[in-house]
């Protein structure tokens, strides 16, 4: 795997714009040409074009058996992983939700970040942040303590991340801090989904529960982001793997991939996600919020 960020012309511009808003993750003092805070001494480090301010330890990423497999695939085939997930995953994102949100920004002028990007690079102009050091990540960091200045971003996306942080309110508070007034976030969180460590998994949200997580923001929209078919298939796959493994955890891990043959049924959500009662058993919700001007 190539674990470096290519120095394309677009990437060089992205790095230059990022350098202008880099700040200490502890005290938020500006970091001008350095990764050591002159105010409090908090230190990051540079790894080529990538910046490191904390993040996951390798042992954390390997603690869960299924996540060990996922991490192996992500680190060896990180460019192909998002495509593989789209094909094999039982969950289907609401078509056009993320791409439509990103198109609402002028990415040549607006600085937008992906909070917990995983192996996705949704656009070369977007700053990628994650707790793991994948090949596309610009900043490896704890998402509860971002090395960015106050009011520095025009927008951001957080896709299937909030369930994996132990203190979601701290993560959301950081979103609010680093967004400029009028800045917008698009956040996807699960509802009817089985446990999936990455490397942890802490919570799920109903439609009304998700709205309550953003008291400092204006809620612009809230709707199912993955439909009821996705939720049903994922649970069914887990149930079948347990039923056919006869009480063996090892056999369960062998059987589970065979159940992925059911994943194409998620295409029914092209219709079902629009059902007026889809929120009752939606696989997940997507919320767009804005920091008040």
């Amino acid at each position: 795997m190539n674990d470096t960020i290519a120095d394309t012309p677009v990437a060089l511009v992205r790095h230059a714009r990022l350098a202008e808003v880099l700040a200490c993750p502890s005290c938020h003092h500006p970091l001008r040409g350095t990764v050591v805070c002159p105010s409090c001494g908090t230190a990051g480090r540079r790894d080529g074009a990538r910046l490191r301010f904390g993040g996951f330890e390798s042992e954390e990423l390997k603690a869960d058996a299924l996540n060990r497999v996922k991490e192996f695939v992500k680190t060896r085939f990180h460019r192909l992983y998002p495509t593989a997930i789209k094909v094999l995953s039982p969950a289907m994102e609401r078509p056009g939700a993320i791409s439509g949100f990103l198109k609402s920004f002028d990415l040549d002028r607006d600085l937008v970040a992906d909070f917990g990007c995983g192996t996705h690079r949704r656009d070369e102009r977007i700053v990628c942040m994650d707790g793991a050091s994948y090949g596309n990540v610009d900043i490896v960091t704890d998402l509860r303590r971002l090395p960015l200045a106050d009011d520095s971003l025009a927008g951001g996306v957080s896709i299937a991340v909030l369930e994996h942080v132990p203190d979601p309110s701290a993560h959301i508070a950081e979103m609010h801090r680093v967004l400029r007034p009028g800045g917008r976030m698009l956040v996807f969180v699960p509802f009817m989904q089985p446990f999936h460590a990455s490397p942890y998994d802490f919570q799920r949200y109903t439609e009304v529960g998700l709205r309550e997580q953003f008291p400092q923001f204006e809620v612009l929209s809230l709707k199912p982001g993955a439909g009821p078919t996705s939720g049903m298939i994922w649970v069914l796959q887990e149930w079948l793997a347990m039923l056919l493994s006869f009480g063996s955890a090892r056999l369960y891990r062998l059987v589970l991939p065979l159940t992925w043959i059911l994943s194409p049924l998620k295409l029914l959500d092209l219709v079902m996600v629009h059902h007026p009662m889809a929120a009752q058993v939606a696989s997940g919700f997507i919320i767009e919020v804005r920091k008040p001007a």
Side-chain angles (χ1 to χ4, degrees), residues 39-96:
S39 178
C40 71
T42 296
R45 64 186 177 93
R46 296 186 183 274
D47 182 7
R50 182 177 294 113
L51 301 169
R52 294 177 181 267
F53 291 90
F56 296 124
E57 301 293 337
S58 60
E59 294 77 11
E60 294 180 277
L61 296 172
K62 298 176 181 178
D64 179 81
L66 181 57
N67 200 57
R68 283 199 296 273
V69 176
K70 289 165 59 178
E71 286 302 311
F72 174 82
V73 177
K74 285 179 180 179
T75 53
R76 295 298 187 276
F77 309 103
H78 67 276
R79 294 181 186 277
L80 299 177
Y81 185 79
T83 301
I85 287 297
K86 284 184 178 181
V87 174
L88 299 175
S89 170
M92 179 179 180
E93 293 177 353
R94 193 181 188 102

Side-chain angles (χ1 to χ4, degrees), residues 17-36:
R17 297 173 68 196
L18 178 57
E20 295 176 358
V21 299
L22 202 63
C24 174
S26 297
C27 71
H28 308 151
H29 191 281
L31 299 178
R32 304 297 187 189
T34 180
V35 291
V36 180

Side-chain angles (χ1 to χ4, degrees), residues 123-169:
D123 189 286
E124 284 294 325
R125 294 164 292 181
I126 293 176
V127 174
C128 286
M129 303 184 294
D130 201 87
S133 181
Y134 303 125
N136 57 299
V137 176
D138 297 304
I139 304 177
V140 181
T141 184
D142 183 337
L143 295 176
R144 297 166 296 178
R145 299 171 66 247
L146 299 174
L148 297 174
D150 295 357
D151 306 334
S152 57
L153 298 180
V157 295
S158 171
I159 309 301
V161 174
L162 206 61
E163 72 270 28
H164 299 300
V165 296
D167 186 356
S169 61

Side-chain angles (χ1 to χ4, degrees), residues 93-110:
E93 293 177 353
R94 193 181 188 102
I98 302 173
S99 60
F101 175 78
L102 293 176
K103 287 177 181 178
S104 69
F105 295 91
D106 180 355
L107 295 178
D108 291 321
R109 301 180 62 182
D110 296 329

Side-chain angles (χ1 to χ4, degrees), residues 1-2 114 152 199 225 253:
M1 180 199 70
N2 180 9
D114 192 334
S152 57
R253 289 192 287 269

Side-chain angles (χ1 to χ4, degrees), residues 28-29 40 49 86 89 97 106 117 158 185 188 190 196 211 219 243 269 271:
H28 308 151
H29 191 281
C40 71
K86 284 184 178 181
S89 170
D106 180 355
C117 60
S158 171
M185 284 289 307
F188 175 89
H196 54 280
R211 185 183 294 272
V219 176
L243 179 68
D269 273 341
V271 175

